């Protein structure tokens, strides 16, 4: 049974940086499309970054474009979300998700096709405060 576990969330000052991790067990994460989502109080879950497993297609939400990136360590079976220039709007619970060979674009996966993700992590809290 596959599983995703996020870690690395915490408190960061406005303008600061934070990297959160998503570790997979039971399957090879580099064989899957990966999505990063966040849920803030009073808001709907938002797909912030989705990347196809061969990196041929990547979607960034406008709210994070130029500030968030993702990387992968295949040996550790982990993906990372690198977040920079954080502000209050970035405070949320962050989730990673994995989908196997989706036929949709990464934009569709992040914006419209959350149902295509087979595995979800439990989330990690990111708080932005002075």
């Amino acid at each position: 049974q596959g599983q995703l576990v996020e870690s690395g969330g915490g408190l960061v000052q406005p303008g600061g940086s934070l990297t959160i991790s998503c570790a997979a067990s039971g399957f090879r994460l580099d064989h899957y499309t990966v999505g990063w989502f966040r849920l803030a109080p009073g808001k709907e879950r938002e797909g912030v970054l989705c990347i196809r497993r061969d990196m041929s297609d990547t979607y960034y939400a406008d709210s994070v474009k130029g500030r968030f990136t993702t990387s992968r360590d295949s040996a550790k079976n982990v993906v990372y979300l690198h977040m920079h220039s954080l502000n209050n709007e970035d405070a949320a619970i962050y989730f990673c998700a994995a989908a196997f060979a989706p036929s949709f674009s990464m934009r569709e996966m992040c914006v419209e096709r959350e149902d295509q993700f087979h595995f979800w992590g439990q989330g990690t809290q990111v708080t932005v405060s002075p």
Side-chain angles (χ1 to χ4, degrees), residues 20-117:
I20 56 179
S21 304
C22 172
S25 60
F27 66 100
R28 288 289 305 272
L29 197 51
D30 56 5
H31 292 180
Y32 282 69
T33 285
V34 172
W36 287 97
F37 296 82
R38 66 186 181 186
L39 181 63
K43 296 184 179 180
E44 293 187 356
R45 189 162 60 186
E46 175 190 18
V48 297
L49 193 160
C50 289
I51 183 167
R52 200 174 297 281
R53 70 174 182 89
D54 63 2
M55 302 185 214
S56 62
D57 184 12
T58 306
Y59 167 82
Y60 299 89
D62 288 343
S63 56
V64 307
K65 199 171 295 183
R67 300 188 299 119
F68 287 18
T69 60
T70 189
S71 64
R72 182 172 68 199
D73 187 332
S74 296
K76 294 182 179 179
N77 210 19
V78 175
V79 294
Y80 302 96
L81 182 66
H82 308 282
M83 304 180 288
H84 304 284
S85 302
L86 288 163
N87 57 58
N88 292 340
E89 298 296 311
D90 297 315
I93 301 172
Y94 283 75
F95 302 86
C96 63
F100 185 73
S103 58
F104 301 98
S105 71
M106 291 302 96
R107 182 190 180 282
E108 289 173 312
M109 291 295 290
C110 258
V111 175
E112 304 168 350
R113 294 292 179 178
E114 289 187 17
D115 60 310
Q116 297 296 307
F117 286 93

